[in-house]
Amino acid sequence: MRKVVSVCLILLFAHLIIIVNSLNPTLDDDVLGLIVFKADLQDPDGKLGSWNEEDDSPCKWEGVRCNPRSNRVSALVLDGFGLSGKMGRGLMQLKFLSKLSLAKNNLTGSIGVNIAQLSNLRIIDLSDNSFSGRIPDNFFEQCGNLRSISLANNRFSGQIPDSLVSCSSLGVLNFSSNQFSGLLPSGIWSLHGLRSLDVSDNLLEGGIPKEVEGLNNLREINMRKNQFTGPVPDEFGACALLRSVDLSENSFSGSLPSTLQTLSLCTDLNFHSNLFTGEITEWIGELGSLQNIDLSKNMFSGAVPNGIGNIQPLRILNISNNGFSGSLPASMINCKNIQILDVSWNSLTGFLPTWVFRLGMQEVLFSGNKLTGSINGAVTSSIDVSHQNLQVLDVSHNELSGEIPSDIASFSSLRFLNMSRNSLMGQVPETVGKLKALKSLDLSENKLNGSIPSSIRTCSSLISLILSRNNLSGQVPVAMAKLADLEYVDLSNNKLTGTLPKPLANLIHLVTFNVSHNHLQGELPAGAFFNTISPSSVSGNPTLCGAAVNKSCPAVLPKPIVLNPNSTGSDPDSIPQTIGHKKILLSISALIAIGAAAVILIGIIFITVLNLRVRSTAARSSAAVPLSGGDFSSSHTTDTNSGKLVMFSGEPDFSTGAHALLNKDCELGRGGFGAVYRTVLGDGRSVAIKKLTVSSLVKSQEDFEREVKKLGRIHHPNLVALEGYYWTPSLQLLIYEYVSGGNLYKHLHEDEDRNRSPLSWNERFNIILGIAKSLAHLHQLNIIHYNLKSSNILIDGLGEPKIADFGLARLLPMLDRYVLSSKIQSALGYMAPEFACKTVKITEKCDVYGFGVLVLEIVTGRRPVEYMEDDVVILCDMVRGALEEGGVDECIDERLQGKFLAEEAIPVMKLGLICTSQVPSNRPDMAEVINILGLIKCPEESDNN
Ligand SMILES: *[C@@H]1O[C@H](CO)[C@@H](O)[C@H](O)[C@H]1NC(C)=O
Ligand SMILES: *[C@@H]1O[C@H](CO)[C@@H](O)[C@H](O)[C@H]1NC(C)=O
Ligand SMILES: *[C@@H]1O[C@H](CO)[C@@H](O)[C@H](O)[C@H]1NC(C)=O
Ligand SMILES: *[C@@H]1O[C@H](CO)[C@@H](O)[C@H](O)[C@H]1NC(C)=O
Ligand SMILES: *[C@@H]1O[C@H](CO)[C@@H](O)[C@H](O)[C@H]1NC(C)=O
């Protein structure tokens, strides 16, 4: 209330003063004038707090300066005080004001008061406010003393008043960034004292008249971004003191007058985005002070004049988007200070000049010309100079040929490299990985071949990678998944093969990822960006599958086997160091890494051959069935009498006689080597007797006995002990320890019939471990089993597994691939792929393969090969597929649901997959397998048991 009253009083008082003042001009009214001025303002920051109406003098007030002799206010500088409101008439009382600066405030409204009439005022700066409206026509009428006026960056509109001609002392005029329209007042060209004229960024029209020659003191002219038209008159050359000329972004036309050569002090010449035509001739070489020349976006033609090379201080030359032709003058090697050269989108011909990389430029842009030859020449000829400055290199859309020089690596600061749309050949150099600062790489539309180098992983700043429309082959490197900033990837229209690495799904900034029209196969990475990838980004890859291509993925695609489902194995960095919850042995990692790349190719061949084999061995084993009891019974009567029975334990108590033992009713099962019968010895002990059906292949009695005795000496808790043998030339029996619990096959696949409770997880793990231990033992003795299968694994009363039939292959006179694969390794699905490949040596690793299949069989409860209605499901391919899709838990035997330890079961399955690697050397050996199993086993769990 009190404040309102006092403000009213002041206003009333002010009017009084104005009246009084007109009567008595000597009255010192600066205090009251300023108080009235303040009353029109809002001062949210309290910057004018020191302005107190009770003071005698305003000279100590913030922003106020006085003439020391007269003590009258000479300057009011309130720049950036955060003031808003209007500029009121209180100012008119400051008769001795010479400088008024209210820049960078929030002042609004039109200029109601005619401040220019303050006869002492020399400087007005109202820039960066929100003043609006027209400038009153008479505003400049008495501005004879005005030296500088800036109304820049407001919202003034309408015409600039003709009265401006009265400001005969004006040196600086800045009306930039308003909405002034119409013609410039003609008087402006006769302001001889004008040194700086800035009317940029308005809506002004008209041209530059001949009278411009009157501005012979002009240092700077900026008419940028208006609607000016017409030519630059010859008389422009008369403004010989000009330092900076900016006529850009208008519609000026015609050719530049050669009189411009008189502007020898000029540093900046900006004519871009106009309609200029004609040639730039040698006059430009006379402008010896030029630092920046921008002639871009016009219609200039002809050759770039040789004289450019005379301009020593030149830093930026932009002649892009014109019709310049010919080649750049060799004299430019003299432009030692040049930093930016943009000659793109002209019709320049010839080679990429060799000086281009010798001048230490930051930006070199040659795109959209007709350059020919190789870029190699220019790069290698400058190999002696430092290339550290170059940040931008664009030679796109030319006719360059040859290879991308590997010396490109020396451009260590390069951020942007565009070589697209040329005829470059050869490979993307491996050295590209040295470009650590590179953000954008575009090599599209060339003839590049070879694969995308995995060194790309070290281009860690990369945001945009465009390699489309080349002949690139090979896989998309998993290394790309390391480029965390990637946003734009275009690899379309190449010949890329293989699957897309799953870890690409980790690239969270992806905006586009175009791999259309390649030969990619298999499943798209799942997750993140790839769940919503546009179908057009993946189209044209006939064997790519996944939701985005509307095609479900078959489960039997051969893939490399790795522990980490996120890795495709071609990247050594991504070799996982852990399996389950513990460290894996490095040797295995290394094995996997080395072999993985080869696996894909070999895998495809193997799977095909394997499938053929599976069919043919199936046919053969069914043909072998009649070799049973029948022919035996016809021969045993003669043979058994002359036969030789040996029990290793030294108790040849075979009282019942061999022929009576081999009672069909006591048949326990049949294997690749023959049928097995159970019989009871004299002492009441059960034994299992195997009648060898491969008799025609058996060696001489001597060899047979020697080998059998060796086998008899092998003792291991997880091996079925061989207790003796019986030999005649036509009948051989092997006498084994009898294992009561039946075989693993029955436990896994026939428990429903037998009313047995399914094997628990711990039992299964124990069986796997037992098998592994016995195989390791055999391998240590150089014995290869060759015939692992679940029906050959017996389970004793304590649940311990015991491997049967080991070492029998040694009884064969010849042990060749054919015999092994057809006679012995008859079991469907357990046969290692190398049996089908003549060039791969068969080693104990074939047992590791069989073991791997067993592991998967034990964990999943499914047979190694299952025949569905119209499909054959190969167990290891199914599990591998599930692992890659991330649904591996679903493979685990459903009878275990809720009763298994995922942190054991999943690593065990991965181990099984590694053991079934296509390439034998990728499989671990059994000793390593035992170590891994030991690591997988959770200690807590084994303590509990
Ligand atoms: C100008 O005023 C607006 C609101 O009217 C405010 O948001 C802005 O911060 C002010 N600017 C300055 C420079 O004080
Ligand atoms: C005109 O004023 C604007 C805004 O304050 C400023 O950016 C520009 O540099 C001035 N022009 C000249 C020629 O000084
Ligand atoms: C050269 O001028 C063009 C058109 O005015 C512009 O787009 C381009 O960015 C300029 N080049 C450089 C390197 O600044
Ligand atoms: C590279 O140059 C081509 C042709 O000049 C252009 O179309 C493309 O957009 C450029 N690439 C990038 C990443 O700027
Ligand atoms: C695989 O990638 C997924 C998604 O990024 C992640 O959650 C998972 O932990 C990764 N698995 C491994 C074994 O690295």
Side-chain angles (χ1 to χ4, degrees), residues 672-837:
F673 288 89
V676 185
Y677 305 86
R678 173 183 177 182
T679 194
V680 182
L681 297 183
D683 58 1
R685 199 157 62 88
S686 286
V687 290
I689 298 188
K690 177 177 275 272
K691 184 193 123 199
L692 298 180
T693 52
V694 283
S695 19
S696 60
L697 294 172
V698 168
K699 305 179 180 188
S700 67
Q701 180 175 4
E702 225 172 88
D703 291 342
F704 176 82
E705 292 195 291
R706 194 182 56 241
E707 291 298 339
V708 170
K709 282 176 182 160
K710 253 193 234 166
L711 293 178
R713 284 196 289 274
I714 300 175
H715 292 285
H716 187 277
N718 297 113
L719 289 174
V720 178
L722 177 61
E723 303 198 338
Y725 66 90
Y726 177 81
W727 195 89
T728 76
S730 59
L731 173 69
Q732 294 86 30
L733 303 177
L734 295 176
I735 300 156
Y736 284 103
E737 122 184 61
Y738 174 71
V739 181
S740 61
N743 66 38
L744 180 61
Y745 181 88
K746 289 178 179 159
H747 278 271
L748 286 175
H749 308 303
E750 291 175 2
D751 61 344
E752 288 96 346
D753 328 347
R754 306 236 162 178
N755 237 345
R756 236 191 305 246
S757 63
L759 293 168
S760 71
W761 170 247
N762 276 332
E763 284 169 326
R764 290 181 204 226
F765 189 94
N766 189 50
I767 289 169
I768 293 171
L769 187 61
I771 299 170
K773 284 179 176 168
S774 56
L775 282 177
H777 186 67
L778 289 175
H779 290 172
Q780 207 175 9
L781 301 170
N782 268 329
I783 296 173
I784 302 177
H785 190 293
Y786 292 116
N787 193 17
L788 282 175
K789 54 184 174 179
S790 55
S791 58
N792 257 344
I793 314 287
L794 306 179
I795 310 288
D796 73 9
L798 300 170
E800 279 297 321
K802 283 176 179 281
I803 299 188
D805 265 12
F806 58 89
L808 296 190
R810 294 180 154 236
L811 304 178
L812 304 176
M814 300 183 311
L815 200 58
D816 66 17
R817 194 178 300 271
Y818 170 74
V819 170
L820 282 173
S821 57
S822 64
K823 298 286 183 203
I824 314 301
Q825 270 261 338
S826 55
L828 258 180
Y830 297 96
M831 186 173 69
E834 58 267 31
F835 283 105
C837 180

Side-chain angles (χ1 to χ4, degrees), residues 413-449:
S413 306
L414 210 55
R415 286 185 289 111
F416 179 99
L417 176 58
N418 195 343
M419 296 188 164
S420 93
R421 295 221 212 167
N422 280 290
S423 301
L424 300 173
M425 290 168 301
Q427 309 208 344
V428 180
E430 193 71 29
T431 51
V432 76
K434 302 237 171 88
L435 302 177
K436 303 254 187 289
L438 200 60
K439 287 186 153 65
S440 171
L441 175 62
D442 190 343
L443 303 177
S444 60
E445 297 187 61
N446 278 291
K447 297 174 182 162
L448 299 171
N449 54 33

Side-chain angles (χ1 to χ4, degrees), residues 443-573:
L443 303 177
S444 60
E445 297 187 61
N446 278 291
K447 297 174 182 162
L448 299 171
N449 54 33
S451 53
I452 303 171
S454 59
S455 62
I456 196 91
R457 114 169 53 98
T458 47
C459 299
S460 47
S461 311
L462 216 53
I463 291 172
S464 171
L465 176 63
I466 316 288
L467 303 175
S468 54
R469 294 186 191 273
N470 278 290
N471 289 322
L472 297 173
S473 55
Q475 295 208 343
V476 174
V478 67
M480 264 177 59
K482 293 253 145 61
L483 304 173
D485 296 338
L486 270 186
E487 290 176 24
Y488 307 96
V489 177
D490 189 352
L491 310 177
S492 63
N493 292 285
N494 277 292
K495 293 178 178 155
L496 298 170
T497 52
T499 51
L500 285 177
K502 309 274 157 190
L504 290 176
N506 300 340
L507 297 174
I508 53 172
H509 298 299
L510 278 185
V511 177
T512 58
F513 188 91
N514 191 347
V515 288
S516 61
H517 301 285
N518 276 290
H519 306 316
L520 296 171
Q521 51 161 285
E523 202 185 347
L524 281 165
F529 175 80
F530 289 92
N531 288 347
T532 53
I533 192 168
S534 96
S536 64
S537 296
V538 288
S539 63
N541 290 284
T543 49
L544 200 62
C545 61
V549 285
N550 216 352
K551 192 156 77 181
S552 64
C553 297
V556 288
L557 277 173
K559 305 265 180 63
I561 300 138
V562 285
L563 287 171
N564 185 343
N566 291 348
S567 163
T568 62
S570 53
D571 179 4
D573 284 359

Side-chain angles (χ1 to χ4, degrees), residues 159 357 620 739 889:
Q159 276 196 288
F357 297 118
R620 248 181 241 121
V739 181
D889 325 28

Side-chain angles (χ1 to χ4, degrees), residues 24-101:
N24 183 0
T26 60
L27 196 73
D28 179 347
D29 44 21
D30 286 352
V31 171
L32 290 173
L34 286 169
I35 291 298
V36 169
F37 171 71
K38 180 185 171 183
D40 282 330
L41 301 175
Q42 282 89 53
D43 174 23
D45 300 342
K47 291 275 193 178
L48 305 183
S50 58
W51 289 24
N52 188 339
E53 70 239 45
E54 275 154 32
D55 288 350
D56 291 340
S57 155
C59 295
K60 298 221 165 90
W61 294 359
E62 188 81 27
V64 178
R65 265 182 274 144
C66 294
N67 179 323
R69 268 172 292 157
S70 65
N71 263 343
R72 297 297 304 263
V73 174
S74 62
L76 191 55
V77 180
L78 309 179
D79 295 2
F81 272 31
L83 305 172
S84 54
K86 288 183 169 19
M87 187 175 68
R89 39 188 304 138
L91 285 181
M92 299 306 291
Q93 302 312 308
L94 307 175
K95 291 287 181 230
F96 292 85
L97 193 64
S98 121
K99 176 173 183 181
L100 173 65
S101 189

